[in-house]
Amino acid sequence: MSSGPDAAPEYDDTAIRFLEALWGEGYLSPGGPEEVDRVLAGLSLGGKRVLDIGCGSGGITLHLAEAHGAAEVTGFDVELPVIEAARRRGDARGLSSRVRFVQAPPGPLPFADASFDVVFSKDALLHVPDKDALFAEIYRVLVPGGVFAASNWMIGHDGEPSDDMKAYVAAEGLSFSMASPARYRAAMQRAGFRDVVTVDRNPWYREVARGELARLRGPLYETVAAVVGAAYVDKNIKTWEAMQKVLDSGEHRPTHLRGWKPADAER
């Protein structure tokens, strides 16, 4: 997600091709549909209106409709290249009657109050600097009694990042605004969410990332290099090496989030 309405896209066609080669068609974050299902464990989307914030190239949005039975799913992203890819994917799957993709600049969500029963997000909220404004908007577009469920990349503490974390973020070259699980929880509670739960996913992704790095160095290298170029793969191998350090130290903490808008809340 870009840092401003006029910024060049961070997830251009090359980035999309690279990440999908690593994480699966339509997926720009790790874990595939299985991790999406874990984020949603115990929730029913059947017949619900769902918003997918930071939908990327659309794989998750379509999965919410196809596998979870959502009545209507809106994929939202600030970047046009991923939205265009998502729309092509949705049209090819024949889901245009139940799934739509919306692109708009960063800022307030372009949806009316109480528009959605469920708001979902997968590893996209780290791009938003103002967590309080973010969760105020998510709360606003949820119906009373609605639920927010997400996964997000976080830092294990607030305050000055370590040199290793600074090196990793610099290697990514993306607009990361990482915050701790405690800061996310506090922002959600200030917005009005109740029963806020966080689940640490560092132990899971620490090992998954190790496997991703091994695949990039080995069996995937030639295949992906043929698509995006060897230099692009080499750069990302260095990024994964930097990421592995902060995963192993525990400073990089992918985390699941969940919270409910009270049923008696005003719309």
Side-chain angles (χ1 to χ4, degrees), residues 244-263:
Q244 194 67 57
K245 288 183 181 180
V246 289
L247 284 167
D248 287 344
S249 73
E251 191 171 17
H252 183 357
R253 304 211 74 84
T255 300
H256 290 182
L257 291 164
R258 188 175 295 184
W260 299 83
K261 182 172 181 175

Side-chain angles (χ1 to χ4, degrees), residues 131-147:
K131 310 305 182 189
D132 284 292
L134 167 69
F135 285 110
E137 279 295 285
I138 292 172
Y139 187 90
R140 178 184 67 79
V141 301
L142 273 172
V143 301
V147 63

Side-chain angles (χ1 to χ4, degrees), residues 167-188:
Y168 162 58
V169 172
E172 286 279 14
L174 301 172
S175 58
F176 281 9
S177 295
M178 297 179 84
S180 70
R183 185 173 158 200
Y184 272 88
R185 177 191 289 270
M188 289 179 67

Side-chain angles (χ1 to χ4, degrees), residues 41-252:
L43 297 177
S44 172
L45 304 191
K48 302 288 181 63
R49 297 165 298 164
V50 181
L51 173 63
D52 178 14
I53 295 178
C55 66
S57 58
I60 291 174
T61 311
L62 298 175
H63 180 70
L64 299 179
E66 291 176 321
H68 288 270
E72 301 173 6
V73 190
T74 300
F76 170 73
D77 208 288
V78 302
E79 298 210 336
L80 188 57
V82 295
I83 287 292
E84 290 175 337
R87 287 171 177 161
R88 290 192 296 270
R89 185 164 282 117
D91 289 344
R93 300 263 272 271
L95 288 171
S96 57
S97 65
R98 293 170 55 205
V99 176
R100 65 174 177 143
F101 292 98
V102 175
Q103 185 265 338
L109 293 170
F111 308 106
D113 296 358
S115 294
F116 301 99
D117 304 295
V118 179
V119 174
F120 177 91
S121 186
K122 178 73 166 62
D123 303 336
L125 304 183
L126 78 163
H127 294 287
V128 181
D130 190 337
K131 310 305 182 189
D132 284 292
L134 167 69
F135 285 110
E137 279 295 285
I138 292 172
Y139 187 90
R140 178 184 67 79
V141 301
L142 273 172
V143 301
V147 63
F148 167 71
S151 171
N152 198 47
W153 284 15
M154 303 187 192
I155 189 169
H157 60 88
D158 291 308
E160 187 74 9
S162 70
D163 288 344
D164 282 344
M165 178 60 84
K166 290 177 182 177
Y168 162 58
V169 172
E172 286 279 14
L174 301 172
S175 58
F176 281 9
S177 295
M178 297 179 84
S180 70
R183 185 173 158 200
Y184 272 88
R185 177 191 289 270
M188 289 179 67
Q189 290 171 336
R190 282 192 291 269
F193 284 96
R194 294 181 184 169
D195 301 322
V196 176
V197 176
T198 61
V199 178
D200 182 17
R201 295 296 285 157
N202 171 277
W204 166 76
Y205 190 51
R206 186 170 63 228
E207 298 310 315
V208 168
R210 207 180 311 281
E212 292 167 353
L213 181 55
R215 288 165 58 214
L216 284 173
R217 287 170 170 163
L220 266 185
Y221 187 93
E222 294 298 336
T223 301
V224 180
V227 176
V228 300
Y232 196 90
V233 181
D234 292 341
K235 172 188 176 296
N236 277 279
I237 286 174
K238 293 184 183 302
T239 300
W240 253 252
E241 290 170 346
M243 180 173 66
Q244 194 67 57
K245 288 183 181 180
V246 289
L247 284 167
D248 287 344
S249 73
E251 191 171 17
H252 183 357

